[in-house]
Amino acid sequence: MAENKAAGYKNDYIIQVNHLTKLYGAANRTEASRMMKEGRSKEEVLRETGVTVALWDVSFKVKRGEVFVIIGLSGSGKSTVIRTLNMLNRPTAGQILFEDSAIDTFGKKDLNEYRRDKISMVFQSFGLMSHRDVLGNVVYGLEIKGLARVERERKAMEMLDMVGLKGYEHASIASLSGGMRQRVGIARALANDPEVLLMDEPFSALDPLVRKDMQFELLSLQRKLEKTVVFITHDINEAFKLGDTVAIMRDGRLIQVGTPEEMSASPADDYVREFIDSADKTKVLCARHVMLTPCVVRETDSPDYALREMKNGGVSSAYVVDRHMKFLGIVNVEAAIRARKERKSLKEVYVTDVATTAADTVISDILPVAAEAKYPIAVLENDGSLVGIVSKASVLSSLM
Ligand SMILES: Nc1ncnc2c1ncn2[C@@H]1O[C@H](COP(=O)(O)OP(=O)(O)OP(=O)(O)O)[C@@H](O)[C@H]1O
Ligand SMILES: [Mg+2]
């Protein structure tokens, strides 16, 4: 393995896809190809020849250690591409190099080795075996590899720990939530210690909050393990959040490849622009989406009570409200200690010139304020009641 890695560094690119084409329908391929070369559309080709153009002349390179995201509308060819990377789909034409070996020329033995050692896939539908428990699913690939039981279980437990499933090793798959199932899928894929992880819309069946957690965890895992990831999504936000490089597909063709910044700065055409605009619309994350629960005290509470609450919450400031939860100000530890010593009430020591924001304010407007503010910003409803707080950290982590 080490030898391979060292050899690979001679070449920055772990995967190179050259002029990949995949046509479905055996009859009129020559005619279909001729039409495609003339620049006719996928629909026209299908109508006139009965051939479905799943991929047409697709070329791209994946750098070692990067997250390469493929995005496009349904039917644009994303799954077809990723499934050619492990030869689940055989291309009609073109070449795929993995560390300079042409995998489309591999015989059965080489292909098996390649799938076992180099590349693992995580599916949208999880693809777990329901008759095996969590551990049984994760050890599966290691069994095939022929690892001894003790060794494979040790490795599997390590992976389960890494994806946050310690303690669930003997749970049944049926008892797990969607997010947990996908963690099992990821642990199973990682257990083989592949160089490349292929992920075909792995998070699209998950609810938005779980999805956000999983995106974050995938990024931390990927950085820690330095794996190369090829990731498919139809969600531009997910693509931009995860991707070092993003490739956008339409009707079997690759339209643009670049970093998220390059793509936002100069979209290749209207199709790309529309995708990016849809990101801007949905990117309207508000204070409400990222706020945390503050330590709350009433203005009539004693300084002692406020100090205890702050201590319990492990924080150094409390948010002061009236009986109707209307926000009044902030009292910090120092002020509360002073009040206790001088036998004052909280009312006399809390500060009022602090930053507040409406619950519906978008993150981009909060960021500059959060960066400057001494305390986390109080989030208020229209009637002035306190509903949460946002810190600089909570805003920034929501954008990751
Ligand atoms: N086995 C097959 N036989 C015939 N046509 C196929 C087959 N598999 C895929 N196609 C066609 O190839 C094209 C690309 O399909 P693909 O599954 O790669 O799209 P996708 O981008 O992954 O879409 P989705 O977002 O819906 O998963 C589509 O037009 C599809 O109908
Ligand atoms: Mg697909």
Side-chain angles (χ1 to χ4, degrees):
M1 200 61 109
E3 195 183 297
N4 258 328
K5 282 216 166 118
Y9 280 120
K10 274 191 259 156
N11 188 345
D12 263 358
Y13 297 106
I14 189 162
I15 295 173
Q16 300 182 63
V17 170
N18 297 321
H19 306 293
L20 203 65
T21 289
K22 175 77 179 175
L23 306 176
Y24 285 107
N28 298 312
R29 286 192 183 172
T30 323
E31 174 63 5
S33 297
R34 195 188 58 72
M35 288 178 71
M36 286 304 286
K37 280 182 198 143
E38 282 175 358
R40 309 280 290 279
S41 74
K42 174 175 164 165
E43 287 71 41
E44 284 177 302
V45 173
L46 179 63
R47 205 167 45 234
E48 290 182 28
T49 68
V51 171
T52 298
V53 181
L55 298 178
W56 181 257
D57 197 19
V58 168
S59 300
F60 60 88
K61 295 174 179 180
V62 179
K63 285 197 203 97
R64 187 179 293 279
E66 78 169 333
V67 179
F68 187 97
V69 177
I70 302 173
I71 180 162
L73 295 178
S74 183
S76 59
K78 307 180 296 294
S79 294
T80 308
V81 168
I82 209 168
R83 290 165 63 87
T84 53
L85 299 182
N86 61 2
M87 288 287 123
L88 281 177
N89 272 346
R90 292 243 158 221
T92 307
Q95 183 195 45
I96 298 163
L97 297 178
F98 185 94
E99 294 177 336
D100 300 327
S101 312
I103 64 164
D104 45 298
T105 64
F106 280 179
K108 202 166 176 194
K109 182 168 161 284
D110 284 342
L111 192 56
N112 280 340
E113 269 175 30
Y114 171 66
R115 287 181 183 154
R116 200 185 56 204
D117 300 335
K118 303 285 191 182
I119 199 154
S120 288
M121 188 131 166
V122 179
F123 299 89
Q124 175 182 358
S125 53
F126 319 133
L128 301 175
M129 295 171 286
S130 56
H131 62 281
R132 288 183 168 220
D133 63 7
V134 166
L135 186 67
N137 270 276
V138 178
V139 296
Y140 181 70
L142 302 173
E143 270 173 43
I144 291 183
K145 256 185 165 157
L147 252 68
R149 178 168 177 173
V150 175
E151 178 59 14
R152 66 188 189 232
E153 292 196 346
R154 188 195 58 75
K155 181 87 195 165
M157 293 296 278
E158 191 187 310
M159 294 302 131
L160 283 172
D161 190 15
M162 201 149 61
V163 300
L165 281 182
K166 202 173 182 172
Y168 287 92
E169 49 275 6
H170 296 301
S172 71
I173 298 300
S175 70
L176 304 181
S177 68
M180 290 161 94
R181 286 180 202 195
Q182 201 49 292
R183 283 167 211 267
V184 178
I186 292 171
R188 180 180 57 181
L190 287 173
N192 277 346
D193 196 25
E195 292 183 37
V196 177
L197 212 54
L198 304 176
M199 306 182 88
D200 190 351
E201 305 213 30
F203 304 151
S204 53
L206 306 177
D207 79 57
L209 282 179
V210 177
R211 188 168 177 167
K212 240 170 83 182
D213 284 350
M214 294 296 289
Q215 290 167 344
F216 178 75
E217 282 173 34
L218 176 68
L219 279 182
S220 10
L221 271 178
Q222 189 261 345
R223 297 211 173 113
K224 195 155 91 196
L225 305 174
E226 299 180 325
K227 301 289 180 202
T228 307
V229 177
V230 180
F231 188 101
I232 289 183
T233 179
H234 55 254
D235 173 356
I236 189 79
N237 290 312
E238 189 164 70
F240 280 6
K241 190 188 280 186
L242 298 178
D244 295 305
T245 305
V246 177
I248 185 158
M249 297 196 61
R250 181 184 56 206
D251 293 343
R253 288 185 163 98
L254 199 63
I255 305 295
Q256 187 171 12
V257 184
T259 64
E261 293 74 24
E262 285 163 358
M263 214 171 259
S264 316
S266 46
D269 63 10
D270 286 345
Y271 177 79
V272 181
R273 200 166 294 120
E274 266 171 42
F275 256 104
I276 290 166
D277 287 349
S278 72
D280 288 337
K281 263 182 262 143
T282 54
K283 229 186 215 156
V284 271
L285 272 184
C286 300
R288 178 187 311 288
H289 301 127
V290 300
M291 66 192 184
L292 309 169
T293 309
C295 172
V296 178
V297 295
R298 299 244 204 116
E299 58 173 340
T300 49
D301 287 334
S302 69
D304 254 323
Y305 176 81
L307 284 165
R308 245 188 348 261
E309 284 297 293
M310 285 187 254
K311 186 162 176 251
N312 289 342
V315 292
S316 57
S317 51
Y319 289 67
V320 186
V321 296
D322 70 11
R323 318 192 277 122
H324 305 292
M325 274 308 275
K326 189 169 166 293
F327 177 63
L328 299 171
I330 293 176
V331 59
N332 63 20
V333 173
E334 289 83 351
I337 291 175
R338 184 158 37 86
R340 181 168 63 182
K341 213 157 90 193
E342 298 173 7
R343 299 187 176 283
K344 284 183 176 160
S345 67
L346 285 183
K347 219 175 200 161
E348 297 170 82
V349 296
Y350 71 75
V351 291
T352 53
D353 63 330
V354 295
T356 65
T357 185
D360 292 320
T361 310
V362 293
I363 299 299
S364 54
D365 292 340
I366 299 172
L367 253 181
V369 187
E372 297 295 323
K374 192 166 161 209
Y375 302 105
I377 302 168
V379 182
L380 311 183
E381 288 294 18
N382 290 338
D383 62 5
S385 61
L386 178 70
V387 287
I389 56 173
V390 288
S391 65
K392 193 166 116 187
S394 64
V395 174
L396 288 176
S397 65
S398 74
L399 297 176
M400 278 168 53

